[in-house]
Amino acid sequence: MISLKMWAGRFEKELDSTINDFNSSISFDWVMYKEDIAGSMAHAGMLGAQGIIPMADVEEILTGLEGILADLESGRLQIDPTAEDIHMFIEQTLTARIGDAGKRLHTARSRNDQVALDTRLYLRGKTNQIITAVRGLAAVLVQLAQQNLHTVLPGYTHLQVAQPVTFAHHLMAYAQMLRRDIGRLQDCKARMNYSPLGAGALAGTTYPINRQRTAQELEFTAPCPNSMDAVSDRDFCVELAAALALVMTHLSRLSEEVVLWCSSEFKFVELDDAFATGSSIMPQKKNPDITELVRGKTGRVNGNLVTLLTMLKGLPLAYNKDMQEDKQAIFDSVETTLACLAAVTPMLQTMRVNAKNMRAAAAKGFINATDCADYLTKKGLPFRDAYKITGSLVVHCIKAGLTLETLPLQEYKAASDLFEEDVYTAIDLATCVAQRNSEGGPAPEAVQAQIEEYKKAMEM
Ligand code: ARG
């Protein structure tokens, strides 16, 4: 344990141990150790190149930091839970290992630019991971869609049977949402990717540093143009939290549908045993727990967004310790989203689709009533009149226990003499779907075109 605080010179007493725990962030910011080391290496290299510290010290610092990294990875070095944060822990360990050269590392730097740097680097990496995971899920949706171009199911509005669609069409709707999610994550990453290193505590530094050099070495687009902004905004956390809240909202809506589809009333899909759970008391149960957890966890991810916005809204420039609270919120959003994507993707991939039940559900509820009205319209009747005639036929069918498919032709003709034998083809579910071939519609060829465009745009 390293007992003497870094700022011990100014203080005559050790920090109260309860307050030390209260103040410490190491229990959650230790995850950024790699980024902290990478940032320190870039900083040290720059200090040496600019002649701010001797090259010999730089060599020692770099070797020392490499050793710390290797030892943390191998478990030879344990994170000290009483350290104030990961930045202090690494610097103190370095100094304990290499002596004076270690004490030179923090020249022309503050923990304020250091933490802003580490957080950006860390979240940049995580954003890449999330983009890959969202792409993986999108690929599964596209694959499932390709297999279900002709699988007819009811399309709903108000959760009431509306018009027939295909399962492919339904799944591609989610694939399109994920495509925009990826776009948002990429945009967010691009705005995040500016280097705060060299902003110092808030007001830059009097040393002849080279911010371009460190920014380049750490693969940033450029240094943040304003040192106060660099250390005091966390808009990149908010943006990422918002993008993740939307990813989760999309996953949550899809999850809710899977919950419905698994129910005995729908039975549209069946989850693979490896991705469902049983009940401790009811032997017949096969529960879609994964989807319910995704739906539930979406609440947490939405909450994290509000946490971050609220944490920031009253802060005067520049750094305030409130900002230490950014990490748990955004890290939780990141890990929760990754975990949900990792659960949902194989669950969908292994789910069995019950095309017969989907089709049977679509045959109920007068789903082809619009098509019946369209039939009359195409024969010259104004749509409003066709709508009224079809409405009266539906009422008649309900009273007589018939469907539009089983209603005899003479009863059609009694309502309008425009009806001919071919009305039965026009209201056949397959026809209803096939004719909805407008761009973006559910007809198999329209969905196939959508899939082609999607795969091309997404480089799948
Ligand atoms: N652990 C701190 C954080 O996460 C690091 C920055 C501390 N800066 C300071 N001036 N106390 O924000």
Side-chain angles (χ1 to χ4, degrees):
M1 182 171 109
I2 300 151
S3 71
L4 212 63
K5 287 272 166 220
M6 218 44 142
W7 23 273
R10 167 72 178 77
F11 290 80
E12 291 172 348
K13 272 189 187 172
E14 278 292 325
L15 186 63
D16 176 274
S17 81
T18 309
I19 301 308
N20 189 51
D21 292 347
F22 183 67
N23 200 43
S24 168
S25 53
I26 195 140
S27 62
F28 48 88
D29 67 16
W30 69 269
V31 297
M32 306 192 298
Y33 68 88
K34 269 191 220 143
E35 289 74 16
D36 194 76
I37 290 173
S40 288
M41 291 176 83
H43 181 66
M46 181 279 291
L47 291 177
Q50 298 293 106
I52 300 170
I53 65 173
M55 265 333 258
D57 284 352
V58 176
E59 297 304 328
E60 281 192 62
I61 290 171
L62 296 184
T63 316
L65 288 172
E66 273 162 16
I68 290 174
L69 180 61
D71 292 349
L72 281 172
E73 308 257 85
S74 72
R76 258 195 57 195
L77 173 64
Q78 302 280 317
I79 303 268
D80 173 8
T82 68
E84 188 177 336
D85 54 31
I86 189 62
H87 327 294
M88 290 288 213
F89 172 73
I90 290 176
E91 192 188 333
Q92 287 170 329
T93 309
L94 181 70
T95 301
R97 288 185 175 193
I98 67 169
D100 278 355
K103 294 191 207 154
R104 297 218 161 85
L105 171 61
H106 210 52
T107 313
R109 188 175 71 166
S110 155
R111 269 188 303 155
N112 296 351
D113 55 347
Q114 193 177 356
V115 71
L117 173 77
D118 293 5
T119 312
R120 285 173 192 247
L121 284 174
Y122 181 77
L123 292 178
R124 183 176 77 184
K126 286 289 176 184
T127 305
N128 285 334
Q129 263 186 41
I130 296 167
I131 290 173
T132 305
V134 176
R135 281 183 67 88
L137 174 57
V140 167
L141 291 174
V142 170
Q143 192 187 29
L144 258 180
Q146 189 62 61
Q147 293 159 4
N148 286 281
L149 281 179
H150 298 276
T151 309
V152 175
L153 85 166
Y156 300 84
T157 60
H158 315 272
L159 202 55
Q160 304 284 319
V161 167
Q163 290 172 344
V165 294
T166 61
F167 197 42
H169 191 229
H170 199 126
L171 294 168
M172 284 307 293
Y174 283 101
Q176 300 294 355
M177 298 176 213
L178 297 182
R179 172 188 196 162
R180 291 191 297 277
D181 284 329
I182 291 171
R184 267 183 287 270
L185 289 163
Q186 281 164 340
D187 290 351
C188 163
K189 196 179 68 173
R191 267 187 296 277
M192 179 192 296
N193 202 31
Y194 286 81
S195 171
L197 192 56
L202 77 160
T205 177
T206 54
Y207 294 97
I209 58 169
N210 183 347
R211 293 190 62 207
Q212 298 289 339
R213 179 192 157 113
T214 46
Q216 244 172 45
E217 189 174 332
L218 296 166
E219 291 173 27
F220 284 107
T221 306
C224 298
N226 180 304
S227 65
M228 291 181 80
D229 175 46
V231 293
S232 69
D233 209 349
R234 294 293 184 267
D235 55 354
F236 59 96
C237 298
V238 173
E239 261 194 83
L240 180 57
L244 296 179
L246 270 171
V247 171
M248 286 298 293
T249 297
H250 293 150
L251 290 188
S252 184
R253 294 185 72 177
L254 175 58
S255 293
E256 167 59 16
E257 301 218 84
V258 174
V259 171
L260 282 174
W261 295 341
C262 287
S263 68
S264 54
E265 288 75 11
F266 278 79
K267 274 203 186 311
F268 284 2
V269 299
E270 189 184 346
L271 297 183
D272 189 87
D273 281 359
F275 295 94
T277 47
S279 154
S280 60
I281 172 169
M282 297 167 281
Q284 83 281 16
K285 295 274 259 185
K286 184 163 170 186
N287 296 329
D289 283 21
I290 294 178
T291 51
E292 293 162 59
L293 279 171
V294 170
R295 211 171 49 187
K297 286 174 191 289
T298 303
R300 261 183 39 208
V301 173
N302 289 351
N304 290 334
L305 172 60
V306 177
T307 297
L308 288 164
L309 285 168
T310 313
M311 178 273 283
L312 275 177
K313 73 178 256 302
L315 298 185
L317 299 188
Y319 178 83
N320 299 269
K321 188 80 170 196
D322 313 45
M323 284 150 70
Q324 179 165 287
E325 293 289 312
D326 60 356
K327 285 172 236 18
Q328 280 159 301
I330 189 61
F331 293 176
D332 181 64
S333 286
V334 162
E335 296 310 325
T336 303
T337 308
L338 279 170
C340 290
L341 287 164
V344 167
T345 305
M347 181 196 76
L348 291 178
Q349 202 163 22
T350 53
M351 172 179 90
R352 273 182 299 283
V353 176
N354 193 332
K356 250 174 70 191
N357 286 350
M358 288 186 181
R359 170 79 210 210
K364 293 181 206 153
F366 299 96
I367 200 166
N368 45 8
T370 315
D371 301 270
C372 180
D374 287 344
Y375 170 88
L376 292 175
T377 310
K378 283 173 191 161
K379 296 210 167 181
L381 205 65
F383 180 75
R384 277 295 157 223
D385 295 334
Y387 175 97
K388 208 166 151 195
I389 290 169
T390 309
S392 68
L393 285 174
V394 168
V395 174
H396 174 70
C397 284
I398 291 171
K399 286 185 181 151
L402 294 168
T403 64
L404 289 176
E405 287 91 333
T406 54
L407 185 71
L409 186 59
Q410 61 272 29
E411 298 196 29
Y412 271 109
K413 281 196 171 294
S416 163
D417 51 18
L418 291 173
F419 281 117
E420 304 286 350
E421 189 64 42
D422 61 355
V423 67
Y424 296 104
T425 324
I427 61 164
D428 182 78
L429 277 188
T431 322
C432 297
V433 173
Q435 287 190 347
R436 293 180 183 281
N437 59 1
S438 49
E439 188 176 337
E445 83 254 32
V447 178
Q448 186 65 64
Q450 188 188 155
I451 292 176
E452 298 310 329
E453 188 279 335
Y454 192 92
K455 282 164 88 173
K456 196 161 160 238
M458 304 282 287
E459 291 167 2
M460 280 181 164

